């Protein structure tokens, strides 16, 4: 890529697989994490935070697998300021071509008093000891001051100076609770970088949460204040209101290079593909009006806007759809399309499937084409994402018949397989969907709490696929499920089963208490 010599590079640190996966219901399987990591690596992400190795054996194995797979990016593992955490992170990332240990400790008065129960001097000693331990294991060490934006400046300076002296090569000052405003975020970085001895030896990093809707603005303000690394996630996935969205910070820097003289090495044409992959893996739908990658990001309905677009696209578009990898919906596939054409279409849409996954996806495409007059790109995307999200399901839908009568009975006759064993049940409900969900609970012997149920159309028309979204909570775990089908009731059943399968996955959470960012 062409780089203006007058611009400074900003490194992109993606934490979708760590902070993003902490979103309630966003748990990913190992296969899904590897798929996301591959997309991030191909897109040009500089650092991939692959997980929190001490949290569970599953997290450790996932970080090891990502570290072994990634070809270009640095792979980071998170560790609390605890000796065992740091050793475990070092063991996980040693498999990477370029590894990093990311360790953190709280610094704000409220965290020290209520969570850490430590004095400032005790925290300084912890920083010196644990950063030095990490640096003895690996050359690339990042240190984070959790809740930095609510930490007194003089103490924050002491902490940063201590971390740099102990060997930290990256200093992260996160807005952990989304509290900052851009002006003070800029001032914090500028003050620290200009006044802390040895600051020139480290790269400073921003990590912003979106509780007040300012994560991207704060991230860019931090860069203006001297930070040269942005920590972010695809689709803004993350705890509570989420993190700064990678696609937004990248396109903001690219589009407004006149106001922000910085650049990244991200291939922006892969942003839309990465968004779809993460949405499917996490089962978190992207809101229609989401900046950059939302369904409506390049849609124009206003008559005035449409008139301007016809005359010159730049009247209402400050970037092109192609610049982020978005293409117009087309009508090129149908029931007579063969395997080669379908494989070519998948490649065009950013998918490369293994033989078994391709055969299953092709069969579902042919089934859809038999039922639906026109098959759009959006239909194919929904089919493939649905298939990816269902890999490894223990409970699968075999057959379903729903009887519904106005003012009368609503009954679902359901057949499923559970670990290969077929089970049939019949159950009633206050409506068709209620009957379906009751039948699934009866068949599975599980009784999760329904947190969310929503349905929308993938494309227009009465034959459009319905995209159903379900979020369930059970035993303290939350999981989301999506499914796309021309039949709304079948889509609803498959989405519920997808969520139920995910919520039943046992995941260790022994160290999932206080995490950086």
């Amino acid at each position: 890529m062409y780089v203006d010599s007058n611009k400074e590079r900003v490194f992109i640190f993606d934490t979708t697989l760590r902070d993003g996966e902490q979103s309630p219901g966003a748990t990913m399987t190992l296969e899904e994490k590897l798929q996301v990591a591959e997309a991030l690596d191909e897109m040009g992400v500089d650092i991939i935070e692959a997980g929190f190795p001490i949290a569970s054996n599953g997290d450790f194995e996932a970080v090891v697998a990502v570290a072994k797979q990634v070809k270009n990016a640095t792979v980071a593992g998170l560790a609390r300021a605890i000796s065992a955490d740091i050793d475990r992170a070092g063991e996980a990332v040693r498999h990477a071509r370029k590894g990093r240990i990311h360790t953190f400790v709280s610094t704000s008065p409220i965290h020290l008093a209520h969570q850490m129960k430590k004095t400032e001097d005790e925290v300084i000693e912890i920083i010196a000891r644990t950063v030095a331990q990490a640096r003895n294991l690996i050359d690339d060490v990042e240190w984070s001051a959790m809740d930095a934006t609510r930490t007194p400046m003089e103490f924050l300076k002491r902490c940063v100076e201590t971390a740099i002296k102990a060997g930290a090569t990256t200093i992260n000052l996160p807005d952990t609770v989304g509290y900052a405003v851009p002006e003070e975020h800029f001032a914090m970085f500028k003050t620290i970088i200009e006044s802390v001895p040895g600051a020139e030896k480290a790269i400073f990093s921003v990590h912003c949460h979106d509780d007040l809707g300012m994560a991207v603005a704060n991230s860019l303000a931090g860069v203006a204040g001297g930070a040269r690394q942005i920590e972010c996630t695809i689709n803004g996935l993350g705890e509570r209101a989420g993190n700064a969205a990678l696609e937004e910070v990248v396109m903001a820097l690219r589009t407004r290079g006149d106001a922000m003289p910085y650049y990244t090495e991200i291939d922006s044409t892969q942003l839309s593909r990465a968004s779809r992959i993460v949405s499917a893996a996490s089962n978190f739908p992207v809101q229609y009006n989401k900046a950059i990658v939302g369904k409506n990001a390049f849609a124009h309905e206003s008559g005035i806007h449409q008139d301007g677009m016809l005359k010159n696209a730049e009247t209402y578009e400050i970037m092109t759809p192609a610049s982020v990898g978005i293409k117009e919906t087309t009508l090129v596939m149908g029931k007579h399309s063969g395997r080669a054409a379908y494989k070519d279409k998948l490649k065009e849409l950013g998918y490369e499937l293994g033989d078994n996954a391709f055969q299953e996806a092709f069969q579902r495409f042919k089934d859809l084409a038999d039922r639906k007059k026109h098959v759009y790109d959006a239909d194919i995307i929904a089919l493939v994402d649905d298939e990816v999200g269902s890999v490894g399901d223990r409970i699968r839908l075999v057959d379903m018949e729903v009887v519904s009568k106005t003012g009368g009975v609503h009954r679902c006759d359901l057949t499923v397989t559970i670990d290969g064993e077929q089970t049939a049940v019949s159950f009633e409900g206050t409506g068709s969907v209620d009957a379906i969900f009751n039948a699934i609970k009866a068949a599975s012997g599980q009784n999760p709490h329904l947190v969310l149920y929503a349905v929308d159309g993938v494309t227009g028309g009465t034959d459009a696929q319905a995209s159903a979204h379900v979020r369930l909570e059970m035993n303290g775990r939350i999981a989301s499920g999506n499914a796309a089908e021309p039949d709304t009731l079948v889509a609803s059943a498959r989405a519920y089963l997808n969520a139920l399968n995910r919520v039943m996955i046992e995941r260790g959470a022994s160290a999932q208490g206080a995490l950086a960012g």
Side-chain angles (χ1 to χ4, degrees):
M1 63 178 289
Y2 170 75
V3 176
D4 187 335
S5 60
N6 295 318
K7 293 186 176 183
E8 292 188 52
R9 180 177 178 182
V10 171
F11 294 90
I12 297 298
F13 177 114
D14 182 276
T15 184
T16 302
L17 295 176
R18 200 277 297 171
D19 203 330
E21 207 206 10
Q22 286 173 218
S23 300
T27 298
M28 303 178 205
T29 65
L30 176 59
E31 291 75 16
E32 289 165 341
K33 288 183 179 182
L34 291 174
Q35 186 181 23
V36 170
E38 183 177 22
L40 296 174
D41 197 32
E42 290 178 355
M43 188 168 62
V45 165
D46 298 294
I47 303 100
I48 298 172
E49 188 165 53
F52 186 32
I54 198 71
S56 69
N57 288 333
D59 264 36
F60 176 80
E61 290 164 4
V63 176
V64 169
V66 170
K68 289 180 177 178
Q69 172 184 279
V70 166
K71 297 180 176 65
N72 303 305
T74 295
V75 176
L78 186 70
R80 295 168 299 182
I82 297 172
S83 180
D85 280 40
I86 293 169
D87 284 342
R88 191 69 163 160
E91 174 65 19
V93 302
R94 72 178 178 83
H95 300 277
R97 193 171 69 86
K98 294 182 290 185
R100 172 181 294 186
I101 294 174
H102 178 194
T103 185
F104 69 95
V105 70
S106 294
T107 56
S108 69
I110 191 168
H111 278 221
L112 265 58
H114 300 288
Q115 188 172 25
M116 292 282 291
K117 300 189 186 301
K118 301 286 185 183
T119 67
E120 290 186 353
D121 288 342
E122 287 174 322
V123 169
I124 292 294
E125 186 278 326
I126 289 170
I127 294 169
R129 174 169 43 82
T130 56
V131 171
Q133 177 192 352
R135 187 59 191 267
N136 284 333
L137 295 174
I138 201 164
D139 289 337
D140 190 346
V141 175
E142 177 170 341
W143 175 79
S144 289
M146 189 154 74
D147 207 19
T149 52
R150 295 193 295 175
T151 300
M153 184 58 70
E154 291 308 311
F155 180 55
L156 188 58
K157 288 179 185 179
R158 285 182 64 199
C159 291
V160 171
E161 182 178 0
T162 301
I164 293 173
K165 283 183 176 178
T169 51
T170 300
I171 299 294
N172 179 35
L173 304 179
D175 186 23
T176 304
V177 293
Y179 179 74
V181 297
E183 293 80 7
E184 63 190 22
H185 212 234
F186 165 85
M188 178 183 71
F189 278 94
K190 185 174 176 59
T191 301
I192 291 290
I193 291 170
E194 290 180 351
S195 61
V196 171
E200 71 282 355
K201 299 176 183 177
I203 292 174
F204 281 77
S205 179
V206 296
H207 180 120
C208 300
H209 281 262
D210 209 33
D211 298 72
L212 294 176
M214 291 187 281
V216 171
N218 281 330
S219 296
L220 298 175
V223 169
R228 291 296 178 267
Q229 176 178 287
I230 297 177
E231 305 193 4
C232 44
T233 61
I234 299 294
N235 299 334
L237 198 65
E239 286 194 286
R240 304 183 313 279
N243 290 51
L246 181 149
E247 60 276 7
E248 294 178 28
V249 296
V250 166
M251 292 309 293
L253 292 175
R254 173 173 169 160
T255 305
R256 292 305 312 276
D258 58 325
M260 295 176 285
Y262 316 104
Y263 73 95
T264 74
E265 292 284 358
I266 298 295
D267 177 1
S268 66
T269 64
Q270 297 192 45
L271 290 172
S272 179
R273 172 176 177 262
S275 172
R276 292 198 305 269
I277 290 172
V278 170
S279 177
S282 63
N283 271 317
F284 267 49
V286 177
Q287 67 193 63
Y288 281 12
N289 64 333
K290 168 75 175 64
I292 314 300
V293 293
K295 194 173 183 177
N296 291 349
F298 295 94
H300 304 271
E301 185 168 334
S302 160
I304 295 174
H305 283 221
Q306 289 175 347
D307 179 65
M309 286 293 296
L310 291 171
K311 293 172 180 174
N312 187 327
E314 291 184 6
T315 54
Y316 288 102
E317 283 187 353
I318 59 174
M319 63 196 113
T320 65
S323 70
V324 299
I326 292 177
K327 298 181 180 181
E328 273 192 62
T329 297
T330 52
L331 289 170
V332 297
M333 301 298 292
K335 65 181 180 179
H336 298 297
S337 299
R339 282 178 170 77
Y342 186 64
K343 182 169 286 188
D344 188 65
K345 168 56 69 175
L346 290 181
K347 189 172 182 180
E348 177 189 322
L349 294 173
Y351 295 100
E352 290 190 28
L353 305 180
D355 290 341
N356 291 339
F358 173 76
Q359 291 302 331
E360 292 178 9
F362 181 69
Q363 187 57 54
R364 289 198 63 196
F365 159 71
K366 296 293 279 188
D367 291 342
L368 177 65
D370 282 336
R371 290 182 287 167
K372 194 175 187 294
K373 186 176 181 180
H374 299 302
V375 179
Y376 296 82
D377 285 0
D379 290 313
I380 295 172
I381 289 168
L383 274 181
V384 178
D385 287 351
D386 182 15
E387 193 69 41
V388 169
S390 299
V391 172
D393 282 357
R394 292 179 56 202
I395 311 174
R396 291 181 175 271
L397 180 66
V398 175
D399 188 46
M400 184 177 77
E401 181 177 338
V402 179
V403 175
S404 187
K405 179 177 174 58
T406 303
V409 68
H410 303 274
R411 189 182 73 253
C412 174
D413 297 321
L414 181 82
T415 303
V416 296
T417 58
I418 304 175
D419 296 329
E421 295 288 328
Q422 191 161 295
T423 300
V425 297
S426 181
F427 224 93
E428 296 183 355
T430 57
S432 299
V433 173
D434 187 50
I436 292 169
F437 291 177
N438 285 339
I440 293 173
K441 288 191 285 187
S444 65
Q446 305 293 333
N447 188 28
H449 169 62
L450 180 64
V451 178
L452 171 73
Y453 168 64
V455 177
D456 56 65
V458 173
T459 54
T462 55
D463 65 346
Q465 284 195 99
S467 180
H469 315 289
V470 170
R471 187 171 298 170
L472 302 176
E473 179 179 12
M474 187 170 70
N475 299 330
R477 294 190 296 276
I478 298 177
S480 299
N482 297 327
E485 285 276 352
D487 188 313
T488 302
L489 297 181
V490 175
S492 300
R494 292 186 62 243
Y496 191 98
L497 284 168
N498 187 219
L500 183 60
N501 276 291
R502 286 171 172 267
V503 84
M504 290 170 64
I505 295 174
E506 292 290 344
R507 295 184 72 250
S510 59
Q512 294 281 4
L515 299 185

